[in-house]
Amino acid sequence: MHRRQKPSAPEHKRDLAAHGGDLSMSHNDSRSFFNFSQLVLSAGHLKPPPVLKHSKITYFEVEILDVQSKKQICIVDKIPPASTLLDVKHKFHKACPQWYPSRVGLQLERDGPYLKDSVNIQNLAVSSIITLYFTDLGQQVGWTTFFLTEYTGSLLIYLLFYIRLSTIYDQVESTKNFRHPVVHLACFCHCLHYIRHLLETLFVHKFSGGHTPLKNMIKGCAFYWGFTSWIAYYINHPRYTPPSFGHRQVSFAALAFLMCEAGNHFINVALAHQSHSGLKACFPSPSYNPFTWLFFLVSCPNYTYEVGSWISFTVMTQTLPAGIFAFLMVIQMSLWAQKKHKLYLKRFYPEVRRKAAMIPIIF
């Protein structure tokens, strides 16, 4: 009988390695992984190594061409999609310091309208390169400066005629002739009108356009200052004759003037504080203030009151220059009212569709 021999230790290890080696190694690997996991958890979260990815942000390039010659002036690059046209103008100013953002006019087409500063550059893009045409708008002034200059000049010019400077009127004639009370009343009403305009320019009105060409301010000042000089010269002249119907005419017209001035002020305040429901702006509605009830009939009652003030002033003073000025104001205000009425129809159609622009039935 053959006796079975016990394998030696080295052979036994080789057999285990041959038959059960996979299980042993798998067990050791699991234990090593478990220990490594515990070490990681105790040390904190592992930060993955930075992976370089392609950015999803598309930057735009704006090619600016001269509107006349079509020659390239410069290329403004690396413009984020959220940028506005004003941001492009600022970068353009850095490249071409001689053109300030306020005097830069940009168009999509050579004969197209000037783009507003608030336009998002992404809305203009057809590709990553946007072509715009540049026009030098000339020297610009802010709207606040525009109106302050216009109204301050009219206020001071009238006062110069009211004190009857010796360089304007004959000094002997000025001391002899008695001033009718309507002359003092007219000065008060004229000053009140322009002081109200000045205060509203500073504290009530909100200007969205930003700037206007300097030539527009020159034309506006020439118009207002010229008519103010003409009106003031006649009313404050030593030979000025009072209105035909005397005290009744003056009192009625003065009362109408003051009511129109008050109405104009309350309408401007209402327009400056338009109500908003959610994200949609609402057209100003009449309130308990009776001066705002004109909103029931017209969409631009501030122009209605402005015209009413000058018509009342004309009746109160009974002068031809004031009448011509009031007539021109009716034409100008009606044009502005028609333009605003069309904009209101687009934004507030249900609320203004049955209203006139400035004067019911007529305009």
Side-chain angles (χ1 to χ4, degrees), residues 189-206:
C189 290
H190 192 276
C191 292
L192 176 66
H193 178 79
Y194 283 104
I195 289 174
R196 177 184 64 80
H197 272 307
L198 288 171
L199 293 177
E200 287 178 352
T201 301
L202 292 173
F203 304 110
V204 176
H205 292 303
K206 300 175 182 178

Side-chain angles (χ1 to χ4, degrees), residues 21-22 73 75 104 112 151 188 210 288 293 332:
D22 293 339
I73 300 176
I75 293 180
V104 174
Y151 299 146
F188 169 78
Y288 63 88
W293 294 351
Q332 182 62 73

Side-chain angles (χ1 to χ4, degrees), residues 258-280:
L258 294 176
M259 291 180 63
C260 288
E261 287 295 302
N264 202 340
H265 171 70
F266 289 120
I267 293 297
N268 287 333
V269 171
L271 291 173
H273 299 86
Q274 292 185 18
S275 60
H276 293 76
S277 58
L279 298 176
K280 185 179 179 182

Side-chain angles (χ1 to χ4, degrees), residues 241-256:
T241 55
S244 304
F245 296 96
H247 181 70
R248 287 185 179 181
Q249 179 178 344
V250 173
S251 300
F252 173 78
L255 180 61

Side-chain angles (χ1 to χ4, degrees), residues 12-309:
H12 179 65
K13 290 181 180 179
R14 281 197 300 267
D15 291 340
L16 285 175
H19 294 92
D22 293 339
L23 179 62
S24 175
M25 289 177 63
S26 176
H27 178 71
N28 292 335
D29 289 345
S30 300
R31 176 174 292 182
S32 299
F33 179 77
F34 176 77
N35 293 335
F36 179 72
S37 301
Q38 293 296 323
L39 178 64
V40 170
L41 291 175
S42 63
H45 296 289
L46 279 178
K47 294 184 179 179
V51 179
L52 295 177
K53 296 181 180 180
H54 294 289
S55 177
K56 295 182 179 180
I57 300 177
T58 303
Y59 290 96
F60 295 101
E61 290 185 359
V62 177
E63 181 187 26
I64 299 179
L65 308 179
D66 184 77
V67 72
Q68 299 295 335
S69 62
K70 294 185 180 180
K71 292 182 179 179
Q72 186 186 95
I73 300 176
C74 74
I75 293 180
V76 183
D77 58 355
K78 293 184 179 180
I79 300 175
S83 300
T84 62
L85 200 68
L86 183 60
D87 299 326
V88 176
K89 289 184 178 181
H90 282 293
K91 290 191 175 183
F92 177 61
H93 172 58
K94 290 182 179 179
C96 304
Q98 68 270 29
W99 290 309
Y100 292 93
S102 60
R103 65 185 295 168
V104 174
L106 297 176
Q107 305 160 273
L108 270 177
E109 300 175 357
R110 295 181 68 189
D111 299 327
Y114 293 113
L115 300 172
K116 294 183 178 180
D117 291 346
S118 58
V119 173
N120 192 297
I121 200 67
Q122 195 171 13
N123 297 335
L124 305 176
V126 180
S127 64
S128 60
I129 300 177
I130 305 170
T131 301
L132 298 177
Y133 293 95
F134 160 75
T135 301
D136 184 8
L137 299 177
Q139 186 65 40
Q140 303 286 300
V141 293
W143 281 110
T144 302
T145 305
F146 177 94
F147 289 116
L148 289 179
T149 305
E150 192 174 79
Y151 299 146
T152 303
S154 299
L155 177 65
L156 297 178
I157 288 172
Y158 194 97
L159 292 175
L160 291 177
F161 283 90
Y162 176 73
I163 62 178
R164 289 183 176 177
L165 294 176
S166 58
T167 54
I168 301 175
Y169 302 112
D170 182 75
Q171 197 66 22
V172 177
E173 223 174 23
S174 299
T175 53
K176 285 183 179 180
N177 291 347
F178 170 75
R179 292 198 191 194
H180 194 274
V182 71
V183 175
H184 304 292
L185 182 61
C187 180
F188 169 78
C189 290
H190 192 276
C191 292
L192 176 66
H193 178 79
Y194 283 104
I195 289 174
R196 177 184 64 80
H197 272 307
L198 288 171
L199 293 177
E200 287 178 352
T201 301
L202 292 173
F203 304 110
V204 176
H205 292 303
K206 300 175 182 178
F207 303 108
S208 57
H211 297 84
T212 185
L214 179 63
K215 61 181 180 181
N216 288 349
M217 189 180 78
I218 294 174
K219 287 191 288 186
C221 290
F223 176 78
Y224 276 93
W225 294 2
F227 266 102
T228 298
S229 302
W230 193 19
I231 293 170
Y233 177 80
Y234 271 83
I235 295 176
N236 296 287
H237 199 281
R239 296 183 183 180
Y240 167 75
T241 55
S244 304
F245 296 96
H247 181 70
R248 287 185 179 181
Q249 179 178 344
V250 173
S251 300
F252 173 78
L255 180 61
F257 178 88
L258 294 176
M259 291 180 63
C260 288
E261 287 295 302
N264 202 340
H265 171 70
F266 289 120
I267 293 297
N268 287 333
V269 171
L271 291 173
H273 299 86
Q274 292 185 18
S275 60
H276 293 76
S277 58
L279 298 176
K280 185 179 179 182
C282 298
F283 188 77
S285 57
S287 64
Y288 63 88
N289 188 340
F291 289 104
T292 63
W293 294 351
L294 200 56
F295 273 122
F296 284 120
L297 302 176
V298 296
S299 59
C300 302
N302 52 327
Y303 294 149
T304 308
Y305 282 123
E306 183 74 13
V307 167
S309 294

